[in-house]
Amino acid sequence: MRNALDWSSDSEKARKIRFTALQNGGVEIAPVGGVDGVLTFHDSDKDRMMRQYLGNGAVIELSKATGVGNVYFGGEAVARYEDVRVRNIEEIQHYAASLG
């Protein structure tokens, strides 16, 4: 599923997964930092997370409950942010898009 959401696969199954994600609250936004295919999810779980899956494989997780943000790349945490505000999100997106 991750390969479908981070656009590293464009198989028929990956396209179906992305379609289903969009039908269930996922939102595809304009390219970030020159990276196509960013999917954003606003989850209503206990941590109230916003997750973004970038085309280069980077994943951004921002907790609306705690203000903590993390960037993952290659399955590893590569950056952590405290007290994230809306005005900080674009900077985090550009950093994540620059990875790889």
Side-chain angles (χ1 to χ4, degrees):
M1 181 164 22
R2 179 178 180 178
N3 290 340
L5 295 177
D6 71 11
W7 291 81
S8 60
S9 173
D10 196 34
S11 68
E12 182 178 341
K13 184 176 183 179
R15 288 190 295 274
K16 287 179 181 181
I17 290 170
R18 286 192 294 270
F19 176 81
T20 301
L22 291 170
Q23 295 299 308
N24 288 284
V27 179
E28 185 175 357
I29 61 172
V32 174
V35 177
D36 291 323
V38 176
L39 288 177
T40 301
F41 296 90
H42 293 272
D43 298 327
S44 59
D45 58 11
K46 65 180 175 146
D47 292 327
R48 296 182 9 241
M49 299 293 288
M50 180 187 84
R51 292 181 177 88
Q52 292 189 319
Y53 299 85
L54 283 71
N56 66 347
V59 178
I60 301 170
E61 290 186 348
L62 301 173
S63 171
K64 293 180 262 182
T66 66
V68 173
N70 291 291
V71 176
Y72 299 92
F73 189 74
E76 301 288 327
V78 295
R80 180 177 174 87
Y81 300 87
E82 302 287 336
D83 196 30
V84 175
R85 306 287 183 192
V86 171
R87 67 179 173 264
N88 307 121
I89 294 174
E90 185 175 354
E91 177 184 335
I92 295 169
Q93 290 169 328
H94 284 285
Y95 168 73
S98 74
L99 296 171

